[in-house]
Amino acid sequence: MFDDLARRPANRVGVWFRPGDDALWARSAPAGFRVQPNTAQVLNLEGGFSTVWERRFHQSVRRGVRRAERSGLDVEVDRTGRLAPAFYQLFEQSIPRWARQDHEPLALARWRRMRIFPPRRLETIASQLGEACTIWMAWRAGEPAAAIVVLRHGSHDLYWRGAMNRELAHPTRASHLLHRLAIEDACTAGCRQYDMGTSLQGTTLRRFKDSFGTDNFSSPRYYRERLPVRAPKRGLRWAVLRAVRFQGA
């Protein structure tokens, strides 16, 4: 796989391995690939959903799920990619909120987010993975409130993307309900892990994931650049953010 990546003509190529496999890939990575450390938050599904619900979910999650169940939400599950346009609607609605949270200029936030997750990427992933790509969507009075995308490989489920209309999702705790249903589905399918991805220490997102009873695992990213553009790009971005007093700078 590393040989295949090295042969590709793109200036920058990379791969991000699932948590716990870093020792194996560290021995395999050839010269020229750099490592970017990351920490993933992973929920252990051993014991089945009843064990996860009773022993691993924090009380706040159970309370949030019960509130969501009383909030008149309709949940739809799509394994065909049909709900991808509705997900992108929520994704685009979320960008101004993410920009405010990060004290980031909206134009920069929109350019950066859409470059990372451009239109039609979800449709492409769904068409390639089939039933291994699931979109969970919560609706409130016919309006999309929150959605998550979960990818499956063997016994490993990955929460890949999420977005919401905060005005609809936050009061109803829609995101709590979607993750609860996705986790139960993973348990039913015999999965051993529900990987909630990475997030920065001290952020609201990190605390949200912690509340599900996740454990931290090393999950590094390996990448190769023909021309060293990563550092200049990051330097330019941070210079812009410092100019507007970005919270994390």
Side-chain angles (χ1 to χ4, degrees):
M1 184 179 63
F2 278 119
D3 290 343
D4 179 69
L5 287 173
R7 287 193 298 267
R8 293 182 178 269
N11 179 66
R12 187 173 189 269
V13 295
V15 61
W16 197 339
F17 297 107
R18 65 183 181 183
D21 289 347
D22 50 312
L24 170 64
W25 295 108
R27 293 194 299 268
S28 304
F33 276 81
R34 299 180 180 181
V35 60
Q36 176 187 350
N38 288 284
T39 300
Q41 293 167 267
V42 181
L43 176 62
N44 179 6
L45 302 182
E46 290 184 6
F49 182 71
S50 60
T51 298
V52 173
W53 172 268
E54 295 170 4
R55 300 183 184 179
R56 301 193 182 115
F57 284 0
H58 293 192
Q59 184 179 4
S60 62
V61 171
R62 295 194 295 269
R63 186 167 54 245
V65 169
R66 294 187 181 106
R67 180 172 175 175
E69 291 172 340
R70 299 191 300 267
S71 296
L73 294 169
D74 295 314
V75 176
E76 192 172 0
V77 184
D78 169 38
R79 305 184 197 275
T80 67
R82 178 178 54 83
L83 290 177
F87 181 90
Y88 269 105
Q89 177 183 336
L90 287 173
F91 182 79
E92 291 179 354
Q93 289 177 355
S94 298
I95 292 176
R97 174 171 53 84
W98 292 329
R100 289 192 299 271
Q101 288 175 351
D102 292 342
H103 296 271
E104 185 176 16
L106 179 57
L108 177 62
R110 181 171 284 116
W111 174 83
R112 188 169 60 85
R113 298 276 182 175
M114 297 306 291
R115 183 173 178 271
I116 294 172
F117 193 55
R120 299 197 61 82
R121 175 164 293 181
L122 179 54
E123 291 94 329
T124 301
I125 293 294
S127 67
Q128 293 294 319
L129 296 186
E131 293 189 355
C133 174
T134 304
I135 303 174
W136 298 81
M137 178 79 66
W139 304 80
R140 178 75 185 276
E143 292 291 326
I148 62 174
V149 181
V150 179
L151 309 180
R152 177 171 296 165
H153 180 262
S155 61
H156 185 90
D157 262 18
L158 169 66
Y159 161 49
W160 185 44
R161 297 286 179 188
M164 68 177 177
N165 179 334
R166 184 175 173 79
E167 293 182 358
L168 297 177
H170 184 67
T172 61
R173 300 299 189 269
S175 295
H176 286 83
L177 180 60
L178 292 180
H179 281 290
R180 177 252 190 252
L181 293 172
I183 290 167
E184 183 176 24
D185 180 70
C187 291
T188 301
C191 293
R192 297 195 299 269
Q193 295 178 320
Y194 185 77
D195 182 352
M196 300 190 78
T198 64
S199 51
L200 296 176
Q201 184 71 37
T203 61
T204 300
L205 180 59
R206 180 66 174 262
R207 290 190 291 271
F208 175 77
K209 295 176 182 179
D210 284 341
S211 68
F212 283 84
T214 57
D215 298 313
N216 295 329
F217 289 89
S218 174
S219 180
R221 184 198 303 264
Y222 290 86
Y223 68 96
R224 185 231 65 201
E225 288 181 328
R226 296 183 186 277
L227 297 174
V229 298
R230 176 179 168 82
K233 280 185 177 180
R234 291 193 63 183
L236 176 60
R237 176 172 178 252
W238 284 109
V240 172
L241 296 178
R242 282 196 297 271
V244 295
R245 298 184 179 182
F246 174 57
Q247 186 177 16

